[in-house]
Amino acid sequence: ARSTFETALASRDFLEYVWKGDQVEFFIDLMKRTMLLSEWDRDSYLIPSLLRDRYVLPETDITGHWCLYNFSSGFLPTGVFQRLLCLCVELSSRNGGNTNMKLFENFASIELEKGSLVHLLENKEAQAISVFTEKTHAAQRVMSVIQSMLLKVNHDVMGAGLAWETYVENNTRELVSLSEAKRQKLAPWFDSNRQLETEKTSTGKVDLETFLESLS
């Protein structure tokens, strides 16, 4: 039990013990559908809400192209960032990302696709989630995927009560609104004719499996 609360990883045996062996599959499926749990490997599950270690920001900036999801017009409830981590871990697993992830209560480094490292940071004081994409060619897709995940969390769990504005950095590391970046065709966020199709997926009433397949 101690290792579960230290690593946020729960074995199947531990879950069997907690739920006294009763309807374990049902509870695992329920926690998956509500994005509270994701499969880590063949024998264990990640439960991000158990993460307790907080990430201390380095003196140098986090590397990568910066995208900010600002919830300050309303508020950023506890559980949104943790559900985002669940979806990211699940997507990474499907896309062959490495399992050497860094996971904290407020931060994560994850390969959403093999070789494409992404850093996520929650700032509760600013009511915001920052995403940093290291690979330039992946920035547009990562922005779209995270936006879709937030829409999915909002639709499935938060009763469509979340409101946020999306900002991206320009060439001088200043943040501009997504609409302004689109108007300017600001690279690398809008440097191709490819439409951001993934956002359409999350607004429909699709189950989580179908949603994740659409992002893979």
Side-chain angles (χ1 to χ4, degrees):
R2 179 180 296 176
S3 66
T4 296
F5 289 99
E6 288 176 352
T7 64
L9 294 176
S11 67
R12 174 69 186 227
D13 288 344
F14 177 76
L15 296 179
E16 292 267 5
Y17 170 77
V18 169
W19 291 319
K20 298 178 171 55
D22 188 32
Q23 295 184 312
V24 174
E25 285 297 336
F26 169 79
F27 285 118
I28 289 175
D29 183 60
L30 178 64
M31 289 185 72
K32 280 184 180 178
R33 284 189 284 111
T34 53
M35 305 167 220
L36 293 171
L37 167 152
S38 61
E39 290 189 23
W40 182 257
D41 55 32
R42 187 178 297 178
D43 302 312
S44 57
Y45 302 88
L46 174 71
I47 307 174
S49 58
L50 296 180
L51 290 166
R52 288 293 174 264
D53 288 343
R54 291 189 64 79
Y55 181 74
V56 179
L57 279 172
E59 291 184 12
T60 55
D61 289 340
I62 298 172
T63 56
H65 299 279
W66 182 23
C67 179
L68 179 80
Y69 302 89
N70 187 347
F71 295 80
S72 62
S73 61
F75 77 109
L76 177 58
T78 298
V80 171
F81 185 73
Q82 288 72 24
R83 286 178 166 91
L84 190 59
L85 289 193
C86 260
L87 292 174
C88 286
V89 168
E90 192 71 42
L91 184 63
S92 175
S93 175
R94 290 163 185 252
N95 287 341
N98 66 8
T99 54
N100 188 26
M101 306 177 192
K102 294 179 181 177
L103 298 172
F104 295 82
E105 182 184 0
N106 61 328
F107 177 83
S109 287
I110 299 176
E111 283 189 345
L112 291 187
E113 296 177 353
K114 193 168 183 61
S116 180
L117 191 61
V118 175
H119 311 287
L120 300 96
L121 177 70
E122 180 187 41
N123 186 332
K124 291 291 282 185
E125 291 73 26
Q127 300 284 290
I129 294 173
S130 289
V131 178
F132 302 86
T133 307
E134 291 204 358
K135 298 287 187 183
T136 300
H137 68 83
Q140 182 181 18
R141 172 164 166 73
V142 169
M143 174 188 68
S144 176
V145 165
I146 299 297
Q147 181 90 346
S148 292
M149 288 178 172
L150 288 172
L151 287 167
K152 187 64 175 167
V153 171
N154 196 23
H155 180 275
D156 286 16
V157 184
M158 297 297 169
L162 292 178
W164 66 90
E165 295 177 359
T166 306
Y167 296 86
V168 295
E169 68 173 5
N170 61 17
N171 298 332
T172 58
R173 301 277 298 184
E174 295 174 310
L175 289 172
V176 298
S177 69
L178 191 61
S179 57
E180 178 60 20
K182 189 173 184 178
R183 189 187 69 78
Q184 295 180 16
K185 291 185 170 56
L186 190 64
W189 314 102
F190 295 97
D191 62 344
S192 74
N193 295 320
R194 182 164 51 89
Q195 295 297 309
L196 300 183
E197 296 171 352
T198 49
E199 289 187 23
K200 301 171 187 173
T201 309
S202 58
T203 53
K205 294 183 178 179
V206 297
D207 60 54
L208 190 59
E209 181 67 24
T210 305
F211 171 73
L212 287 165
E213 282 180 9
S214 74
L215 297 181
S216 299

